[in-house]
Amino acid sequence: MDKAKQGSASAVATGLRGVIAASSSVGDVNGEKGELIYQGLNIHDLATKSTFEEVVFLLWNGRLPKRAELDELKKNLAASYELPWQIVELIKGICVRVARHFEPMDALRTVVSALAMFDEESRDLSRAASIRVATRLTARFPTIVAAIERARNGLDIIAPKPELNIATNFLYMMKGEMPDEFDAHVLDVALILQADHELNASTFTARVVAGTLADMYSAVIAALGALSGPLHGGANTAIMKILLEIDDVDRVEDYVKDALSKKKKIMGFGHAVYKTEDPRATHLRRFSKEMGERKGNSKWYEITAKLEAIMKREKNLLPNVDAYSASTYYMMGIPLDLYTPIFAISRISGWTAHILEQYADNKLIRPRAEYVGPRDVPYVPIDER
Ligand code: COA
């Protein structure tokens, strides 16, 4: 194997494209068919019939829950919604005016790291304890993100309501009032759509860290770092900035031509695996359109739709999950820099499912690199260099 590796650059799969790096039953992406499944269930069924909480159970347990099991999970999630008071103080502390330059993703990562200090089970990697840790993380992500949003705007932090589901609770805590039912439903489905996506960059990162038998918090913090980049979870904010810059449906054509001539990427388009319609975009396109109609402002949907047509014509690139989620969230009044933390509120379910899988049948993940540097370099003493 070493010989083959030394032999030629063609042995290197740049960006690990096409390399099968783990066996998993959590989810599968079929890029040719445009199909996404979670534990065998089609995303279209889940997006139209299920709830985020049910999908969390599915990802962790490999099957849909019976009613009593779902009730039990919801009870356990609700019991963990609240944050230790020290964490609330930490959020207030890091969100004071002087620290406002940070991204909410940075604050989320920092707070999750601090949260590990309060979890006595964090080093217990048994399945039973790991499920409890995963439950606490999944329950607390929305509370943390909403608290960051309130604190950085100098507003009171709103306590979660145990009777609300994750999507409704998040909007309630963020806005300080009960959300519109349609908005809460759309967010619930958006959370379903982003829950897992096989070995995407952040999930792979989580598995690499879990593969060292580090605790679940460490794996999740590393995944948050991977998700924050503009080529992964940061794309939804980036596309909304583009939509705002374009601002008028008649300017889309010129904007795209100019951007492409400068080799600039239009975020929200293209995908490393899908060669046809991203099935998540199908639902978010529908929501973006309906949201625009309901709120009496279809501009952002129309600009995205025109971008879609031009990107297809010019580059044969299709919208991914981010393209239409941006305008959907914007119409819900969610600040731009919370789009990626919302992605994390969803993807924590997939990350933890993969971490559970990694712990259950662990092997240290340790690939090789093709060395392209010099060899046999003589050591020159410092005074002679
Ligand atoms: N806008 C403009 N051009 C794009 C593009 C985009 N969104 N996505 C890909 N391209 C172009 C590249 O510039 C490149 O062109 P070239 O061959 O002339 O250099 C070609 O298409 C291949 O791009 P590459 O980045 O190598 O393909 P990939 O399969 O590795 O890319 C992504 C997948 C997702 C990283 C890429 O499409 C991208 O950066 N998209 C925007 C970011 C985004 O939306 N990410 C969220 C993914 S869910």
Side-chain angles (χ1 to χ4, degrees):
M1 182 194 165
D2 272 4
K3 275 232 166 102
K5 207 171 72 67
Q6 278 169 11
S8 73
S10 64
V12 178
T14 309
L16 296 184
R17 288 295 188 281
V19 172
I20 310 284
S23 300
S24 174
S25 63
V26 179
D28 189 37
V29 179
N30 185 324
E32 303 301 324
K33 280 164 70 181
E35 190 180 82
L36 171 61
I37 57 172
Y38 297 166
Q39 303 277 14
L41 279 94
N42 194 292
I43 195 66
H44 295 307
D45 282 336
L46 295 170
T48 50
K49 298 175 189 155
S50 192
T51 63
F52 180 57
E53 282 75 5
E54 194 173 56
V55 166
V56 170
F57 185 99
L58 170 70
L59 292 172
W60 291 348
N61 296 285
R63 60 173 175 82
L64 290 169
K66 295 182 193 304
R67 187 167 294 283
E69 291 170 325
L70 182 59
D71 290 346
E72 174 80 7
L73 174 65
K74 284 189 192 162
K75 196 182 84 196
N76 292 339
L77 285 166
S80 294
Y81 277 167
E82 244 180 275
L83 301 169
W85 68 264
Q86 296 93 331
I87 294 291
V88 176
E89 289 306 310
L90 170 70
I91 293 173
K92 287 185 195 160
I94 60 177
C95 291
V96 292
R97 188 160 274 281
V98 285
R100 283 193 66 175
H101 62 274
F102 66 63
E103 294 284 327
M105 277 300 278
D106 304 346
L108 174 60
R109 191 197 58 230
T110 302
V111 172
V112 173
S113 190
L115 209 46
M117 305 293 118
F118 294 84
D119 197 329
E120 287 171 9
E121 288 190 300
S122 67
R123 300 254 164 221
D124 183 345
L125 306 191
S126 66
R127 180 170 164 87
S130 296
I131 290 268
R132 287 192 292 273
V133 173
T135 305
R136 285 193 277 276
L137 278 162
T138 306
R140 288 173 176 173
F141 264 40
T143 319
I144 298 169
V145 176
I148 292 167
E149 168 61 10
R150 304 279 303 176
R152 70 177 172 153
N153 287 300
L155 299 167
D156 285 346
I157 290 175
I158 308 279
K161 280 186 194 272
E163 67 274 22
L164 300 181
N165 68 13
I166 285 181
T168 314
N169 219 348
F170 171 70
L171 292 173
Y172 161 70
M173 291 184 288
M174 184 190 79
K175 295 186 178 225
E177 59 186 33
M178 280 301 285
D180 175 88
E181 250 179 59
F182 180 69
D183 287 5
H185 165 68
V186 167
L187 183 60
D188 190 53
V189 179
L191 296 182
I192 293 174
L193 294 171
Q194 299 172 81
D196 186 63
H197 213 232
E198 198 218 75
L199 275 199
N200 57 89
S202 57
T203 302
F204 183 57
T205 304
R207 287 194 79 130
V208 170
V209 177
T212 70
L213 294 183
D215 67 294
M216 191 176 271
Y217 283 87
S218 297
V220 165
I221 294 157
L224 279 166
L227 186 71
S228 69
L231 294 189
H232 188 8
N236 47 18
T237 303
I239 169 78
M240 194 61 227
K241 286 184 183 157
I242 290 176
L243 299 185
L244 289 167
E245 210 182 318
I246 297 175
D247 195 47
D248 187 329
V249 75
D250 292 334
R251 294 189 51 220
V252 180
E253 186 90 42
D254 289 349
Y255 183 94
V256 175
K257 282 198 174 140
D258 182 58
L260 294 182
S261 72
K262 292 176 180 152
K263 293 260 172 215
K264 269 175 38 188
K265 279 190 171 172
I266 306 289
M267 296 305 182
F269 290 85
H271 199 274
V273 183
Y274 291 117
K275 302 298 162 228
T276 178
E277 166 103 340
D278 178 337
R280 304 165 300 173
T282 313
H283 297 277
L284 288 159
R285 186 191 289 107
R286 170 169 61 87
F287 285 141
S288 169
K289 185 166 192 289
E290 190 170 348
M291 196 66 88
E293 285 162 4
R294 280 176 180 254
K295 313 250 172 187
N297 179 4
S298 294
K299 177 161 110 176
W300 308 113
Y301 164 74
E302 282 165 13
I303 295 178
T304 317
K306 187 131 188 215
L307 268 178
E308 176 176 353
I310 297 172
M311 288 298 282
K312 171 99 179 80
R313 189 190 71 206
E314 295 292 319
K315 298 283 289 183
N316 201 24
L317 286 170
L318 299 171
N320 57 46
V321 67
D322 298 309
Y324 286 97
S325 67
S327 50
T328 306
Y329 293 159
Y330 191 76
M331 298 299 297
M332 287 163 75
I334 299 174
L336 267 64
D337 56 5
L338 291 195
Y339 298 179
T340 313
I342 290 175
F343 197 154
I345 288 173
S346 163
R347 189 56 61 84
I348 182 66
S349 58
W351 290 337
T352 46
H354 277 268
I355 295 166
L356 287 166
E357 205 176 41
Q358 187 70 35
Y359 287 157
D361 185 18
N362 190 58
K363 178 119 179 122
L364 182 77
I365 299 172
R366 203 306 188 186
R368 296 293 312 272
E370 182 200 28
Y371 180 69
V372 295
R375 292 184 188 276
D376 303 323
V377 179
Y379 181 84
V380 180
I382 193 158
D383 293 332
E384 295 167 28
R385 285 174 215 160

